[in-house]
Amino acid sequence: MMTGFERYTKKTRRAIFLEEMEQVVPWAKLWALIEPHYPKPGNGRRPKELEQMLRIYFLQQWFNLADPAVEEALYDSATLRQFAGIDLGQSRFRTRPRCASSGTCWRSTIWEKRFWGR
């Protein structure tokens, strides 16, 4: 939402950090590595785009955010939404599926067990 004061803003440390990470993280190589194992549409709810989920996962690690906290941070911060490729005008987003146990079910089953060896 534009308020008219955007021309007076300065670049925050968070924005500078995310710009640097955009340049140094090999996103295409990570996507290619994970894509064969990522859930495909057709079996239940359609999964979020791989690029978006990977970026959200990295935001969680860099800023030490749990699933509910990263969801709230994405609503609050235009910088984080821009980095993750989220447009609130298009649709409502959720960073985690509904889970009976905890909010971290997508992270523990996909990212940490398969790719990070946890």
Side-chain angles (χ1 to χ4, degrees):
M1 181 172 120
M2 299 292 216
T3 60
F5 292 102
E6 285 77 19
R7 61 183 165 165
Y8 300 110
T9 62
K10 72 172 196 165
K11 206 174 272 193
T12 63
R13 289 183 307 204
R14 177 185 285 174
I16 293 168
F17 173 76
L18 292 176
E19 285 177 3
E20 290 174 5
M21 292 302 101
E22 184 69 44
Q23 299 300 315
V24 299
V25 174
W27 296 108
K29 289 181 182 179
L30 288 172
W31 295 330
L33 178 69
I34 296 169
E35 197 276 328
H37 308 282
Y38 196 69
K40 306 290 185 257
N43 296 332
R45 188 186 317 182
R46 187 172 189 268
K48 281 292 192 192
E49 293 77 23
L50 170 61
E51 296 87 356
Q52 199 174 68
M53 290 303 290
L54 184 61
R55 287 175 179 271
I56 291 170
Y57 178 78
F58 273 75
L59 288 174
Q60 286 183 290
Q61 300 307 306
W62 292 332
F63 298 111
N64 195 26
L65 300 169
D67 286 351
V70 76
E71 189 170 355
E72 186 173 321
L74 286 165
Y75 276 114
D76 289 344
S77 173
T79 304
L80 295 182
R81 283 194 308 272
Q82 182 181 1
F83 178 79
I86 294 171
D87 180 8
L88 292 180
Q90 285 188 347
S91 66
R92 184 171 170 85
F93 74 96
R94 289 183 63 86
T95 56
R96 62 196 189 280
R98 291 182 183 93
C99 205
S101 59
S102 71
T104 60
C105 60
W106 72 265
R107 186 177 61 203
S108 63
T109 57
I110 294 174
W111 306 112
E112 292 180 353
K113 286 184 182 175
R114 289 189 183 171
F115 301 107
W116 311 132
R118 293 183 187 172

